[in-house]
Amino acid sequence: MKNSIKVVIVVIVAIILIGTAFLVLYHPTEQFTDTAQTAAPEQLDPATGFFTTNGPLFSAVFNTLVEFNGSSTSVVPVLANHVYNPNDKNYTFDIRPYANFSNGQQLNASSVWFSFERGIIMGQGPYSSDYSGILFNSTCYGNTSIGIALPNGTIPALESAGYKITGNMSQQYKTAAMDLDNILSHFNYNATEMKVMTYKGQALVVNSNDNVSINTMVPYSYLLQDIAGWWGDIVEPSYVDAHGGVTYNSPNSYLDANGVIGSGPYIISSVGKGFSTIVLKANPNYWVDGHNSSVPAIAQPAHIKTVVIKYGLSHADRLEDFDRGISQISTIAPTSFKQMIDGYHIKADRNSSLVQTSPEIGVFYISMDMADLYTNNTHFMEALYDALNYSAELKVYDNNYNGTPEAYEELGPLSPVYGTAYYNPNHYPLPTQNLNGAIKNLTIAGKEMNFHVTLPNGSKIGATNKGSIDLSSHKFVLTGISPLTTVETSELTIAVDSFSDIGLTFTTTAVTESNANTWTNATVTPQFTDLAWLPDYPDPIGQQLISVYDVSDGGAFGGNDAWVDNETLQGIFTNLDFENVTVQEKAMYNVQNLTYNQYAYMWLPVPNNIWFVAPDVHGFVYNTIISAYFYNLMTVSGKLTSSIGFMSIYAFVANMDMAIINIAPKF
């Protein structure tokens, strides 16, 4: 009896020792997981989705004719093999004859024509913002009696194929839009369609099966950078037609919810409820396979075969998942750098090399809807502009690992990267808190609009008559995008506290990005929004200045969340983006005076892009312009490691231990 007991004891000890060795030495393979996107993508159709959270996803699923070369602002040909640009107005592209979509369908010049025509006629944010005045008439689009983004030259192209377009301008646009919808929704390359597509005097022209031209309305040297964004993504026509087709001025709800077939290195494998999780799989029919040496590296095939993107995780979950090795890419607020680094599950890697940062280009702001009550008064807006505690807003971005600020102050609407002649030719000061100035302006506004405000010290300012409105009792709402990060929550809190210093009460709320996509006029846009506008490509006039101050870019259509509608600015904007540098720089003196004195925006600090990348992940490259990193460039050295494996094996060993103890003889 005693001998058998000894054998059982030896077995138990051996299992425990083996289990301990596993705990020390074994790291199980885990799926590649990205938890860095703090909010869900707006939509899954590149003709509709227009938030930065769309960037990595769209870069994985789609290709464009030319693409940004990694982190650079220069472009390289991808779907195009050669690009010809004789005059900055007529661009011609040779399409690679071996390019195809992920479903095996050939990608050719007609696919390019379809994708651009579809995106423009749908009239949604990406195309209406990025091709206005370039590929379609912005004046007709902004005219309420027309309001259709019709690709330039569409009407004569249709007429050349036998379509009848009659009536006044509005009727012609509507008829042409419906005809174009019909072509795009039943895209079968018949003789009539080919007559339309090959008509020379239009924005997109199919010259042959593998050759297509893009003709701008005026010379525009930034076109190649323009089409390198996802508003240049080429989509598979038959899939679009099988799932709702195309309707002018309307999104496609099915494609928004499920995605579109592209030609990129990945395909969408599954979509979780509310876009909480999206799983990407390597494209099994990727056209670059076998042609790697002739295609730029940015389009290389995927090395990581499955990517799980988890959107909108809480700050705590993002921190924990990265530290435990569950996720390989993440982001957290600067105030948690130390916790993230010191808690990483591999002690040897607990240093700042886990962090990759890059300055953002763009503007961050609290907008004030100039069509709303009170914010239609310049003195009221200037009072808020003066009241905000800008130094406290910047302090939010100090990282607690080494104290480095992860943001910079900026005087919008342009970024310093464009140079003083564009950014700040009049040398205006950066915004600073000025409570005396705020009270002075609020007093004037009160007298102009018949309200009074009670300051924290009990004194009243503004209108003095008995019937004036007590604005201190009114609750203004400051709206952000859900889910709010800890940084955004801190920023909003500082703003609320700042405005209380001049007797105004603010509360905060958050809405989804899809809700923000419904802000198509000043009436439905929240009075105060905490948002940002990032240029889609490096054009200071067309992509930042005009986007933030042109009324046609209001709300969901661009970055003008204040719905500024200044007649003088609108006149200047008509041709400014297409002038030469000398003319633009000369005009900026007057332009800055006009924008500065609007006080439509309170300029917030511009944060760095912050990414925590696991040390066994290599090839992480981020492009600030398109807000994207590229999963296909990434590789993993060895197996992904995770501390959760320790717990799994520990549980197994513990269970085996208990099982053997339970069957062992009693003694």
Side-chain angles (χ1 to χ4, degrees):
M1 291 293 292
K2 288 185 178 179
N3 287 340
S4 63
I5 292 172
K6 289 179 180 177
V7 170
V8 170
I9 292 172
V10 169
V11 171
I12 293 170
V13 171
I15 290 177
I16 292 173
L17 289 174
I18 293 170
T20 302
F22 264 89
L23 294 181
V24 173
L25 300 175
Y26 179 71
H27 295 269
T29 301
E30 299 294 330
Q31 62 189 12
F32 187 96
T33 303
D34 177 3
T35 58
Q37 300 302 316
T38 58
E42 184 184 16
Q43 309 291 353
L44 303 188
D45 183 349
T48 308
F50 206 29
F51 276 79
T52 57
T53 48
N54 289 101
L57 175 67
F58 287 162
S59 292
V61 177
F62 301 98
N63 294 126
T64 57
L65 291 170
V66 297
E67 298 182 10
F68 288 109
N69 192 15
S71 60
S72 172
T73 57
S74 63
V75 298
V76 291
V78 174
L79 288 174
N81 194 22
H82 295 99
V83 180
Y84 308 93
N85 170 26
N87 54 13
D88 287 344
K89 191 173 186 292
N90 307 109
Y91 296 79
T92 300
F93 306 83
D94 289 334
I95 310 299
R96 297 180 192 272
Y98 45 86
N100 62 268
F101 293 103
S102 61
N103 62 355
Q105 292 290 321
Q106 184 188 18
L107 190 156
N108 55 30
S110 296
S111 313
V112 176
W113 189 93
F114 175 93
S115 299
F116 277 90
E117 296 277 324
R118 166 185 177 263
I120 293 170
I121 197 64
M122 286 173 64
Q124 303 305 296
Y127 285 77
S128 65
S129 175
D130 290 328
Y131 297 117
S132 177
I134 302 169
L135 298 182
F136 69 88
N137 190 309
S138 58
T139 302
C140 292
Y141 179 59
N143 188 323
T144 54
S145 66
I146 300 176
I148 297 173
L150 194 67
N152 188 47
T154 297
I155 291 176
L158 290 168
E159 290 175 330
S160 73
Y163 287 86
K164 302 299 181 184
I165 312 293
T166 60
N168 59 33
M169 184 67 74
S170 178
Q171 292 167 331
Q172 289 183 37
Y173 260 63
K174 186 172 182 179
T175 300
M178 291 190 293
D179 289 339
L180 184 56
D181 285 350
N182 186 62
I183 291 173
L184 296 171
S185 298
H186 305 87
F187 202 63
N188 55 20
Y189 310 97
N190 62 36
T192 301
E193 289 183 359
M194 293 308 299
K195 283 185 178 180
V196 174
M197 288 190 283
T198 56
Y199 179 78
K200 297 299 182 183
Q202 60 179 326
L204 278 296
V205 180
V206 173
N207 302 310
S208 68
N209 189 61
D210 296 323
N211 185 275
V212 65
S213 293
I214 301 179
N215 302 309
T216 60
M217 296 177 66
V218 293
Y220 189 59
S221 61
Y222 291 104
L223 182 76
L224 295 181
Q225 284 84 359
D226 190 351
I227 66 174
W230 66 73
W231 35 97
D233 285 345
I234 309 305
V235 300
E236 204 277 294
S238 68
Y239 186 84
V240 173
D241 291 354
H243 296 90
V246 181
T247 303
Y248 75 89
N249 283 353
S250 300
N252 182 313
S253 59
Y254 181 88
L255 302 180
D256 281 346
N258 298 279
V260 195
I261 287 179
S263 62
Y266 286 91
I267 62 173
I268 295 176
S269 175
S270 65
V271 179
K273 184 178 180 181
F275 303 151
S276 58
T277 302
I278 294 178
V279 178
L280 302 178
K281 298 283 188 181
N283 181 353
N285 299 310
Y286 193 37
W287 59 274
V288 177
D289 285 321
H291 301 279
N292 295 37
S293 61
S294 60
V295 179
I298 190 66
Q300 65 189 261
H303 305 283
I304 300 169
K305 301 306 179 184
T306 302
V307 176
V308 179
I309 313 173
K310 294 184 177 181
Y311 293 95
L313 293 188
S314 69
H315 184 273
D317 286 344
R318 280 183 277 114
L319 192 153
E320 180 181 1
D321 283 3
F322 184 80
D323 274 354
R324 293 175 62 193
I326 297 172
S327 68
Q328 285 67 55
I329 305 175
S330 191
T331 188
I332 45 88
T335 51
S336 295
F337 270 34
K338 183 174 175 58
Q339 184 180 358
M340 184 80 117
I341 294 171
D342 290 349
Y344 193 66
H345 69 281
I346 301 175
K347 290 185 178 180
D349 293 318
R350 292 176 180 174
N351 55 65
S352 59
S353 63
L354 290 172
V355 190
Q356 298 203 29
T357 65
S358 61
E360 187 60 272
I361 300 173
V363 281
F364 286 67
Y365 51 74
I366 295 174
S367 64
M368 295 176 271
D369 189 341
M370 295 184 70
D372 213 330
L373 183 62
Y374 303 116
T375 44
N376 59 358
N377 181 282
T378 302
H379 288 109
F380 183 85
M381 292 187 293
E382 188 175 358
L384 294 175
Y385 182 95
D386 286 341
L388 187 62
N389 189 337
Y390 296 94
S391 60
E393 295 284 11
L394 181 62
K395 191 71 176 174
V396 168
Y397 289 95
D398 287 355
N399 88 55
N400 66 348
Y401 184 72
N402 57 22
T404 302
E406 300 296 339
Y408 64 91
E409 290 183 291
E410 179 179 272
L411 178 64
L414 293 178
S415 299
V417 69
Y418 298 120
T420 302
Y422 282 97
Y423 168 62
N424 189 7
N426 296 298
H427 303 287
Y428 284 125
L430 288 169
T432 56
Q433 187 179 42
N434 178 4
L435 291 179
N436 289 331
I439 292 170
K440 178 181 178 181
N441 277 293
L442 195 58
T443 301
I444 297 171
K447 292 177 179 179
E448 292 174 342
M449 303 191 74
N450 195 36
F451 67 77
H452 66 269
V453 170
T454 303
L455 298 176
N457 63 9
S459 60
K460 291 184 179 181
I461 60 172
T464 57
N465 58 298
K466 187 175 182 181
S468 65
I469 299 169
D470 180 8
L471 204 58
S472 293
S473 62
H474 179 80
K475 288 187 177 180
F476 294 98
V477 179
L478 178 52
T479 302
I481 300 298
S482 175
L484 295 172
T485 66
T486 54
V487 167
E488 291 166 334
T489 299
S490 297
E491 283 189 320
L492 293 176
T493 300
I494 291 168
V496 169
D497 291 344
S498 297
F499 303 145
S500 70
D501 288 340
I502 58 172
L504 297 178
T505 301
F506 276 71
T507 61
T508 63
T509 190
V511 300
T512 62
E513 291 186 351
S514 58
N515 178 279
N517 196 45
T518 66
W519 299 347
T520 55
N521 58 66
T523 303
V524 298
T525 302
Q527 187 168 18
F528 299 91
T529 64
D530 175 22
L531 281 173
W533 177 260
L534 309 180
D536 296 334
Y537 52 96
D539 173 0
I541 301 298
Q543 280 297 302
Q544 275 193 237
L545 173 63
I546 291 177
S547 295
V548 179
Y549 278 93
D550 192 303
V551 69
S552 66
D553 287 317
F557 299 111
N560 186 1
D561 295 297
W563 288 93
V564 179
D565 188 4
N566 181 276
E567 184 178 357
T568 304
L569 283 174
Q570 290 299 129
I572 294 172
F573 292 162
T574 302
N575 297 308
L576 185 60
D577 195 27
F578 309 111
E579 301 286 1
N580 60 46
V581 171
T582 302
V583 173
Q584 288 181 346
E585 290 182 346
K586 184 178 180 180
M588 284 307 299
Y589 289 96
N590 184 38
V591 168
Q592 190 188 27
N593 283 331
L594 291 166
T595 59
Y596 185 86
N597 290 305
Q598 294 289 311
Y599 293 104
Y601 298 92
M602 291 170 268
W603 307 113
L604 298 174
V606 179
N608 291 339
N609 296 291
I610 298 169
W611 312 111
F612 276 76
V613 182
D616 45 4
V617 175
H618 310 283
F620 180 90
V621 176
Y622 182 74
N623 188 289
T624 299
I625 297 297
I626 56 173
S627 303
Y629 36 82
F630 309 93
Y631 299 119
N632 62 309
L633 301 186
M634 299 181 201
T635 59
V636 177
S637 57
K639 295 179 179 179
L640 296 173
T641 59
S642 168
S643 64
I644 63 171
F646 289 79
M647 297 305 297
S648 301
I649 298 170
Y650 177 82
F652 169 76
V653 172
N655 289 337
M656 288 296 295
D657 185 9
M658 291 303 298
I660 294 174
I661 289 174
N662 287 336
I663 65 171
K666 308 295 186 217
F667 60 93

